[in-house]
Amino acid sequence: MIELNDVHKSFGKVEVLKGITASVQKGEVVCIIGPSGSGKSTILRCINGLESYDRGEISVEGLKVDRDAPSIVNIRTRVSMVFQRFNLFPHRTALENVIEGPLYVKKEPRAQALERGRALLAQVGLAEKADAHPPQLSGGQQQRVAIARALAMQPKAILFDEPTSALDPELVGDVLGVMRKLADDGMTMVVVTHEMGFARDVADRVLFIDGGVIVEQGPAKALLNQPQHPRTQDFLRRVLHPL
């Protein structure tokens, strides 16, 4: 479904991605782990056309990702993104945030968008919060609204950019629970995360990225329990057993 072939990306003189080649199959959950600044979020932003890339090629269901091409709108309806900081409109209710894309991008009839929007809020456990504004919601609730908003576009895949890193620890479980259910339902997901337990339990594969390259990749349990590369071993030791 998603193909990256020798993708390079620089910001000024700093090369952030140094030849990323990877693929994601339909229905697969792939977690991307690695230290801060290693290029993890940039990969997601390039897949979704939020950032351009300098060399190589990215395609979604055979469509080349080019942020300057008219086809980028089509790609963004197929691949939704959930951000670290929610990115909700504070002056709109939870329900209004969810139906924004279907109404204005996909031109859905309002009644249809409202019906599905309410169903999606119920799906993420927030049926009673439809009329609440984001400042009235906890961080975990806001992130679940953001997931409902992503689902409202009826995407083929969802990209998650560290979806729990801005949350208080006690709110993380609710968001991960929604993501686990999506995985169980067969949603194709690419997840940048520091939640190693989630990656071990839910992901099909894990990519460990450092310095803009894929250092190691493989089945989630094998890579996280028995990493082969010394750099992966060192990273996981620091993450799983901090001083």
Side-chain angles (χ1 to χ4, degrees):
M1 177 175 283
I2 300 170
E3 293 276 353
L4 299 92
N5 184 27
D6 195 30
V7 175
H8 292 251
K9 169 67 179 176
S10 295
F11 292 103
K13 294 183 178 179
V14 179
E15 192 175 16
V16 179
L17 302 181
K18 302 175 183 177
I20 298 292
T21 296
S23 63
V24 181
Q25 307 303 317
K26 182 180 181 188
E28 193 175 28
V29 178
V30 175
C31 281
I32 303 176
I33 64 171
S36 296
S38 58
K40 306 184 301 295
S41 296
T42 302
I43 290 172
L44 296 191
R45 294 176 68 83
C46 287
I47 292 171
N48 208 31
L50 294 173
E51 292 283 357
S52 58
Y53 49 99
D54 304 325
R55 265 186 17 244
E57 185 168 299
I58 300 175
S59 62
V60 174
E61 293 192 313
L63 266 182
K64 182 181 177 181
V65 177
D66 179 350
R67 66 175 304 197
D68 297 321
S71 60
I72 196 63
V73 175
N74 189 357
I75 288 170
R76 286 180 184 151
T77 62
R78 299 184 193 204
V79 183
S80 291
M81 189 153 171
V82 175
F83 298 89
Q84 182 177 342
R85 291 282 173 186
F86 327 136
N87 288 13
L88 299 176
F89 294 110
H91 59 289
R92 294 189 171 162
T93 66
L95 181 58
E96 287 169 342
N97 270 281
V98 170
I99 67 173
E100 177 88 4
L103 280 182
Y104 298 107
V105 178
K106 300 185 85 171
K107 310 297 183 186
E108 280 187 17
R110 186 172 182 84
Q112 178 181 318
L114 284 169
E115 181 180 0
R116 198 167 76 256
R118 291 185 187 280
L120 288 169
L121 285 174
Q123 183 178 328
V124 299
L126 293 174
E128 77 288 356
K129 298 294 186 181
D131 297 324
H133 288 78
Q136 299 170 306
L137 302 174
S138 71
Q141 289 171 332
Q142 289 186 60
Q143 193 60 292
R144 283 186 280 155
V145 171
I147 293 172
R149 177 184 59 186
L151 289 168
M153 296 298 285
Q154 298 177 292
K156 304 287 186 70
I158 303 181
L159 313 176
F160 292 86
D161 188 5
E162 300 194 31
T164 60
S165 63
L167 303 180
D168 291 335
E170 67 268 24
L171 302 177
V172 167
D174 290 339
V175 172
L176 292 181
V178 170
M179 293 171 64
R180 286 172 191 265
K181 179 67 166 58
L182 290 177
D184 289 343
D185 290 344
M187 175 60 73
T188 307
M189 297 161 57
V190 184
V191 186
V192 170
T193 186
H194 292 294
E195 299 290 341
M196 297 302 149
F198 174 86
R200 183 184 289 111
D201 295 344
V202 179
D204 297 295
R205 284 188 299 122
V206 168
L207 309 184
F208 172 61
I209 293 182
D210 188 26
V213 299
I214 298 174
V215 175
E216 186 173 350
Q217 62 178 304
K221 288 182 174 61
L223 187 143
L224 293 170
N225 291 332
Q226 295 179 304
Q228 300 301 303
H229 195 284
R231 180 66 186 97
T232 317
Q233 294 169 1
D234 180 58
F235 172 79
L236 288 172
R237 187 164 49 244
R238 291 168 184 268
V239 170
L240 297 173
H241 306 291
L243 294 177

